[in-house]
Amino acid sequence: MNAHEIDYKIHGEEMQFVEIELDPNEGVIAEAGSFMMMDDGIKMETIFGDGSANDKGFMGKMFGAGKRLLTGESLFMTAFYNTGVGKKQVNFASPYPGKILPIDLTRFGNKFICQKDAFLCAAKGVSIGIEFSRKLGRGLFGGEGFIMQKLEGDGMAFVHAGGTTATKELAAGEKLKIDTGCIIGFDHTVNYDIEFVGGIKNTLFGGEGLFFATLTGPGTVFVQSLPFSRLAKRVWAAAPQGGGKNKGEGSVLGGLGSLLDGDNRF
């Protein structure tokens, strides 16, 4: 494993982007659609798989592309190479409000497990694979199914999280219970399982789902306050339905309140 040694700077607060500085012949790989801007002299190339040493040859590239299909991602990734003279910058943007987290894989034993939609970009040479659950309960009820993303290598990777982030350092045997969607990622030494909430009232009326994740140390866990799935549900619930009328949130008068506060849609 010999990933390219890239420099970076993260800009912004709630809608962040990461600026990657590339020396001549250095490269970075990114999810399709995350590109923001780049200097002249950087070459962009669409590739199968992740472009790491593990996907050499035709079959290797096909296997890499197949892994990405299993995680729900596009068949393709995009690689950016500095083919010019001197240092060049390329920038990648957050897909929705939140934070970009830099992950130095050497600090995590060259392996980091994350939600399948968390990966943003990484140094060329980092392998983006899949992590299968060996437990039926986690696969059926874990929200992310049997599959999470696995980042391997000795370079920098960047993942995106929604809302505010928190970091938990778990001692050996220490357990953290968490909503399945609020997981960003965790050290490969952390044990991940699913636990039933329990209780008739909790199950029927709790509104928090039937299961939550249990993460057992040792290792580091990264948590997000606003998973995209939760944000999307809130937006959908507030969106006009049917005939285009909204729900009149924010006013005890409902639709009449919307008329009085300046929203004149019917």
Side-chain angles (χ1 to χ4, degrees):
M1 293 180 289
N2 289 292
H4 293 186
E5 296 182 9
I6 59 174
D7 298 313
Y8 71 93
K9 183 176 181 180
I10 296 175
H11 299 268
E13 295 297 331
E14 303 305 326
M15 285 297 293
Q16 295 185 327
F17 70 93
V18 57
E19 177 186 87
I20 307 293
E21 184 176 81
L22 301 176
D23 292 327
N25 300 317
E26 283 186 342
V28 62
I29 55 174
E31 284 291 355
S34 63
F35 168 71
M36 179 179 172
M37 61 180 175
M38 64 184 178
D39 290 341
D40 187 32
I42 291 183
K43 177 184 177 183
M44 183 173 67
E45 179 184 353
T46 300
I47 59 175
F48 276 110
D50 53 30
S52 67
N54 297 331
D55 68 350
K56 289 182 178 178
F58 176 76
M59 291 305 297
K61 292 181 184 295
M62 291 301 295
F63 180 69
K67 290 189 297 183
R68 293 184 51 72
L69 278 182
L70 287 174
T71 57
E73 304 292 349
S74 166
L75 278 172
F76 303 96
M77 295 191 76
T78 309
F80 299 81
Y81 303 97
N82 181 359
T83 59
V85 178
K87 297 179 182 293
K88 305 290 183 181
Q89 285 80 37
V90 57
N91 300 266
F92 304 98
S94 304
Y96 54 91
K99 301 293 183 183
I100 295 175
L101 302 181
I103 304 295
D104 183 352
L105 293 175
T106 60
R107 294 183 54 198
F108 296 93
N110 296 341
K111 180 179 177 182
F112 184 78
I113 311 301
C114 63
Q115 294 275 28
K116 61 185 180 181
D117 58 352
F119 173 72
L120 187 67
C121 61
K124 184 71 167 62
V126 170
S127 173
I128 295 89
I130 54 178
E131 180 76 3
F132 284 101
S133 172
R134 295 182 178 88
K135 297 187 177 181
L136 181 62
R138 173 177 158 189
L140 294 178
F141 309 114
E144 294 303 312
F146 285 92
I147 303 169
M148 297 184 78
Q149 276 191 327
K150 176 175 60 178
L151 309 179
E152 292 183 291
D154 53 7
M156 291 296 304
F158 300 87
V159 297
H160 181 262
T164 302
T165 64
T167 304
K168 295 287 187 179
E169 298 290 344
L170 301 181
E174 184 180 0
K175 182 181 290 187
L176 177 68
K177 297 181 180 181
I178 179 175
D179 181 275
T180 56
C182 289
I183 299 172
I184 305 170
F186 45 86
D187 201 317
H188 73 279
T189 58
V190 172
N191 181 57
Y192 171 38
D193 203 355
I194 295 297
E195 186 172 318
F196 181 60
V197 171
I200 294 296
K201 288 192 294 183
N202 288 336
T203 301
L204 296 180
F205 310 114
E208 298 297 336
L210 300 181
F211 302 89
F212 47 67
T214 58
L215 303 177
T216 306
T220 305
V221 178
F222 294 91
V223 183
Q224 59 186 341
S225 66
L226 185 62
F228 180 71
S229 58
R230 188 177 297 178
L231 174 62
K233 288 178 182 177
R234 292 294 181 89
V235 171
W236 175 256
Q241 306 290 329
K245 296 181 179 179
N246 64 18
K247 296 186 176 182
E249 281 111 319
S251 171
V252 295
L253 300 178
L256 179 58
S258 295
L259 178 63
L260 295 177
D261 66 16
D263 186 347
N264 298 317
R265 292 173 297 174
F266 291 93

